[in-house]
Amino acid sequence: MSLAPSLSPAVSSEREASLLASVPTGLLIGGEWRDASDGGTFDVHDPATGKVLATLASATSEDAVAALDAADVAQAAWARTAPRVRAEILRRAFDLVIERAEDFALLMTLEMGKPLAEARGEVTYGAEFLRWFSEETARDYGRYLTTPEGKNKILVQHKPVGPCLLITPWNFPLAMATRKVAPAVAAGCTMVLKPAKLTPLTSQYFAHTMIDAGLPAGVLNVVSSSSASGVSGPLLKDSRLRKVSFTGSTPVGKRLMVDAAQNVLRTSLELGGNAPFIVFEDADLDAAVEGAVAAKMRNMGEACTAANRFLVHASVAQEFTRKFAAAMGALTTGRGTDPNTNVGPLIDAGARDDVHALVSAAVDAGAVAVTGGAPVDGAGYFYQPTVLADVPKDAAILGQEIFGPVAPVTTFTTEEEAIKLANASEYGLASYLYSRDLNRLLRVAEQIEFGMVGFNAGVISNAAAPFGGVKQSGLGREGGSEGIAEYTTTQYIGIANPYGS
Ligand code: NAD
């Protein structure tokens, strides 16, 4: 996702209004858009201005159960639908998302704040899950083999796991939805999708696009709500639900894991991260600075993959920090619809205050703000792109997700120390290594406990790659050939010797 400013002219307020008017505001249940059973609604805001963008129906627990009713009714026929049919629906959905790319990008910029150029990047990334899984649909192979004794046969087949609850976060409103919906469609599962209440408009528009692509009624149900637990609570207790796939914070993921244990649900969790960005003394420093800006500033730092701790060899730390601070200080903060903007607002006032509290505590503990270090005055929840040098190794900012445009830099002197520092976290999602020595990169990758490692690359997410973490960063993988396996169960059929003896 590019951090370059958008080249297109600023978006007119008429264009914003007509797009917002085309987003369905109801709950999608059994192929129909309807009001909440109690008539309840909630507002969606623009984080750059604080203004209300739209008012959506807010699903109740009864609505959530009605959505599962619809998913359950649709499941059997959907599981029997020819893989080619499911593949072609996904392929049409890909084409439609690309055709509507400007709509999706603008919606994400409006409700989430990211600059338009980045939102366009998310459309490309998010749409690719539809195309990738359309291609995977017809290739979910089983196997047939003879038992080692040489008589009986073993047949292994994959079946859809069944109705799924999909819960998505606010930071990547399109990609987090397509990363779950596409493999579920490919596997033949029906779904209840609960988007984040801060950014549900993209999911509403995406669901409408899936229907336009030919998805049968009841396969995808969408229950946006101001009460997340009101939706998830009754569904996790319902024996018709077979899987929960959650992307969000580690504390909420843990709670859902406990609730999912009641029915021993298949559970996929994509949780928080605390990515180390390690710059060795033999790295190409200019490439490392470019990668550092990308790994830190994608989505204003509001990404689970965001570089959170810059571990730099002491011999190059000064030069790296100087160049990195110059690049960060040159970024322009503003509303995402402004073509000059490359850093949008944070999602809300609480998020901005949390980021500032971490920065202030680090500075009090001895860190130096080489650039930035404060919120931006005025409307919206903006924070200055910030580089902190001399951050003490025990500072709180190195131990938790910052989720903002702040880069703390600390130093190491040996490879062993870098590995130890990198692993000193309960998280294990993304990590980034910069060195010219491939043997060193491979050696370090083997010893660090992270689900994903970038070699001289600041952005590594790709629909064809298995995305996911170890330790408290989660369970399961999304994307790649692993992605569809999260939505299937394996059935083994033992066959008596067909020769009869
Ligand atoms: P969050 O945990 O607050 O919310 C995520 C989703 O869970 C939302 O839809 C929310 O409404 C819902 N939710 C909240 N409380 C719930 C409850 N009690 N029961 C059921 N659902 C509940 O997270 P967020 O603030 O939306 O997203 C940011 C977090 O997500 C960060 O920690 C980030 O690292 C993580 N994230 C992880 C990945 C990944 O792939 N590993 C990707 C993006 C974001």
Side-chain angles (χ1 to χ4, degrees), residues 79-132:
R80 282 196 306 272
T81 305
R84 182 62 72 209
V85 171
R86 298 201 300 270
E88 283 171 2
I89 291 170
L90 284 174
R91 178 62 208 211
R92 270 199 301 281
F94 166 79
D95 291 339
L96 283 174
V97 170
I98 295 301
E99 216 171 88
R100 299 172 186 176
E102 284 302 302
D103 290 352
F104 277 106
L106 180 53
L107 269 183
M108 286 193 278
T109 294
L110 291 176
E111 65 176 341
M112 192 273 160
K114 66 185 76 189
L116 261 181
E118 268 199 82
R120 291 188 182 112
E122 183 173 341
V123 176
T124 306
Y125 171 57
E128 188 56 31
F129 287 100
L130 299 164
R131 180 160 61 176
W132 171 261

Side-chain angles (χ1 to χ4, degrees), residues 127-399:
E128 188 56 31
F129 287 100
L130 299 164
R131 180 160 61 176
W132 171 261
F133 283 108
S134 82
E135 291 157 352
E136 289 290 282
T137 308
R139 296 184 175 75
D140 189 23
Y141 304 118
R143 64 186 194 271
Y144 178 71
L145 70 157
T146 305
T147 59
E149 297 74 27
K151 292 187 177 164
N152 299 338
K153 303 289 174 182
I154 291 171
L155 185 64
V156 178
Q157 64 168 342
H158 297 150
K159 303 203 299 188
V161 68
C164 304
L165 171 61
L166 312 177
I167 303 178
T168 52
W170 51 263
N171 57 348
F172 292 101
L174 179 64
M176 296 303 98
T178 56
R179 209 162 79 169
K180 297 185 191 304
V181 169
V185 168
C189 296
T190 60
M191 296 152 271
V192 177
L193 169 65
K194 198 216 74 66
K197 70 170 184 247
L198 293 171
T199 62
L201 302 179
T202 306
S203 290
Q204 299 276 124
Y205 198 63
F206 171 57
H208 156 73
T209 300
M210 290 301 294
I211 293 170
D212 287 349
L215 197 69
V219 173
L220 174 63
N221 304 277
V222 182
V223 282
S224 294
S225 178
S226 59
S227 169
S229 54
V231 167
S232 65
L235 298 192
L236 293 173
K237 288 196 190 94
D238 194 313
S239 62
R240 295 172 301 169
L241 189 77
R242 296 301 162 79
K243 178 184 173 78
V244 58
S245 176
F246 169 79
T247 298
S249 60
T250 297
V252 174
K254 286 181 183 176
R255 200 169 323 145
L256 290 173
M257 199 175 175
V258 169
D259 292 347
Q262 295 176 81
N263 286 329
V264 194
L265 282 184
R266 281 284 293 279
T267 306
S268 301
L269 300 172
E270 295 284 358
L271 309 178
N274 182 359
F277 187 103
I278 307 178
V279 182
F280 289 99
E281 65 277 23
D282 59 357
D284 174 338
L285 279 195
D286 291 328
V289 166
E290 196 183 320
V293 173
K296 178 72 254 180
M297 296 304 291
R298 180 181 182 212
N299 230 34
M300 292 77 76
E302 294 172 315
C304 53
T305 50
N308 212 62
R309 298 174 283 157
F310 290 82
L311 312 179
V312 186
H313 192 273
S315 65
V316 294
Q318 246 186 353
E319 188 185 350
F320 172 83
T321 307
R322 183 175 49 77
K323 289 182 167 177
F324 186 24
M328 292 278 277
L331 298 172
T332 305
T333 302
R335 192 172 187 232
T337 49
D338 182 331
N340 296 314
T341 292
N342 32 37
V343 185
L346 297 183
I347 190 70
D348 58 21
R352 185 192 51 193
D353 296 348
D354 288 350
V355 168
H356 192 50
L358 282 172
V359 171
S360 303
V363 170
D364 288 348
V368 177
V370 187
T371 188
V376 177
D377 289 338
Y381 315 115
F382 296 92
Y383 201 86
Q384 296 171 344
T386 298
V387 175
L388 299 175
D390 303 331
V391 179
K393 295 207 168 50
D394 59 353
I397 200 164
L398 298 175

